[in-house]
């Protein structure tokens, strides 16, 4: 505690003075307020003979005061740190409780009038299961896998109605692609959060006076199908995207890249967690798609929105 450190440091100084036969200075510290500094202002006449011992004692008092301040700052910093950690913990706990309460209400609304025992619904947590039997990720409970391994995949093909990369995005008088091109297919499977793959479609009105090769006038959203080949058969993939409007349209799998089996053809937005009450075959925000053991996977994606990025293109006028 802060006061305890201060009191102990003064006690050490008092004992030191008593041992050196300086009882008067020690008594002054004893009789002073506990929170007042040990050092007291001293006045020396410029023509007086210097009292070297007194000056040394004053410097020792100042040094002890500095030790006290250092200790007080350390104790206060630890207290402040503990307060912040406790506050963060309480905020996180309140957040989890609020989410759980919200989901419970949605559950009740969903089953009300269909199950007379709806009032018995309660939130399940790890405490309701044998330890290590389940994974509780933000109130989404799933079973632990018996084992898993990460398998490398490569892109076989990407086809769609748009273009790969950010060729036309223009900011601060320069093309973004010159510094950070987002059309590199290796970024799809490199498991690196610093690299991005982007597939885009540029739409314009029929009256647009400036046109270029990749400009489209049909008004449809961008879509593409990505074909992956795994180094060995796999049973799931994880799709990571910051885009809340990314739509998964279809997933097909194959063992020979010849005959494909459709295992998902119902459009869903991967990151729209509120849709959990509409479609139960996918854990929203997880990005995980499960399927039978397969070597080839086709993933069809589309957008459901647009961005307002500034674009530009170079026009060569030939005479």
């Amino acid at each position: 505690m802060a006061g305890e450190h201060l009191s102990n440091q003064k006690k050490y100084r008092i004992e030191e003075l008593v041992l050196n036969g300086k009882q008067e200075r020690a008594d002054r510290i004893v009789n002073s307020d506990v929170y007042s500094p040990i050092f007291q202002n001293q006045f020396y006449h410029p023509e007086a003979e210097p009292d070297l011992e007194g000056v040394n004692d004053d410097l020792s008092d100042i040094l002890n005061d500095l030790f006290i301040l250092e200790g007080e700052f350390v104790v206060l910093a630890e207290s402040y740190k503990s307060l912040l950690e406790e506050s963060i913990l309480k905020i996180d706990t309140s957040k989890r409780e609020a989410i759980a309460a919200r989901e419970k209400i949605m559950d009740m609304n969903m089953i009300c009038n269909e199950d007379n025992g709806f009032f018995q619904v309660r939130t399940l947590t790890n405490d309701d299961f044998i330890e290590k039997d389940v994974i509780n990720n933000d109130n989404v409970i799933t079973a632990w896998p018996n084992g898993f391994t990460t398998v490398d995949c490569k892109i076989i093909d990407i086809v769609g109605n748009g273009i790969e990369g950010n060729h036309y995005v223009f900011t601060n008088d320069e093309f973004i692609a010159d510094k950070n091109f987002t059309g590199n297919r290796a970024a799809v499977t490199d498991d690196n959060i610093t690299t991005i793959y982007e597939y885009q479609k540029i739409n314009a009105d029929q009256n647009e006076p400036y046109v270029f090769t990749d400009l489209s006038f049909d008004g449809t959203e961008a879509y593409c199908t990505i074909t992956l080949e795994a180094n060995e058969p796999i049973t799931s993939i994880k799709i990571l995207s910051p885009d809340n409007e990314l739509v998964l349209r279809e997933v097909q799998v194959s063992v020979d890249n010849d005959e494909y089996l459709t295992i998902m053809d119902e459009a869903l937005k991967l990151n729209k967690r509120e849709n959990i009450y509409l479609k139960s075959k996918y854990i929203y925000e997880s990005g995980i798609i499960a399927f039978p053991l397969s070597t080839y996977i086709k993933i069809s994606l589309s957008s459901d929105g647009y961005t307002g990025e500034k674009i530009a293109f170079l026009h060569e006028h030939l005479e």
Side-chain angles (χ1 to χ4, degrees), residues 277-292:
Y277 296 96
L278 302 177
K279 299 170 184 176
S280 60
K281 294 182 179 180
Y282 168 72
I283 300 177
Y284 284 83
E285 291 186 322
S286 70
I288 298 175
I289 308 298
F291 42 78

Side-chain angles (χ1 to χ4, degrees), residues 96-210:
R96 288 194 298 270
E97 291 176 352
I99 292 174
R102 175 176 174 270
E103 292 182 350
K104 182 179 290 187
I105 292 173
M106 296 179 73
D107 287 337
M108 289 183 176
N109 290 336
M110 179 179 65
I111 64 177
C112 188
N113 297 326
E114 295 181 7
D115 184 354
N116 293 331
F118 74 91
F119 57 86
Q120 299 174 357
V121 173
R122 66 184 180 86
T123 301
L124 297 178
T125 67
N126 285 344
D127 296 334
D128 296 290
F129 301 90
I130 299 175
E131 186 178 1
K132 295 185 178 180
D133 272 359
V134 297
I135 303 172
N136 186 349
N137 183 11
D138 198 12
N139 292 324
V140 176
I141 297 177
T142 54
W144 275 101
N146 290 330
F148 69 92
T149 183
T150 301
V151 176
D152 290 333
C153 297
K154 65 179 180 180
I155 302 295
I156 296 179
D157 195 16
I158 298 178
V159 296
N161 66 344
I163 58 175
E164 299 177 69
N166 54 346
H167 298 278
Y168 300 101
V169 181
F170 194 75
T171 303
N172 297 328
D173 296 327
E174 63 180 353
F175 288 99
I176 299 299
D178 292 340
K179 291 185 176 180
N180 183 24
F181 179 56
T182 59
N184 186 355
R185 292 185 176 184
V188 178
T189 58
D190 63 4
D191 196 25
N192 188 337
I193 62 173
T194 64
T195 58
I196 297 175
Y197 175 81
E198 184 176 18
Y199 192 91
Q200 65 175 329
K201 181 172 180 283
I202 304 174
N203 287 324
D205 186 85
Q206 291 285 353
N207 298 322
E208 174 61 46
Y210 302 103

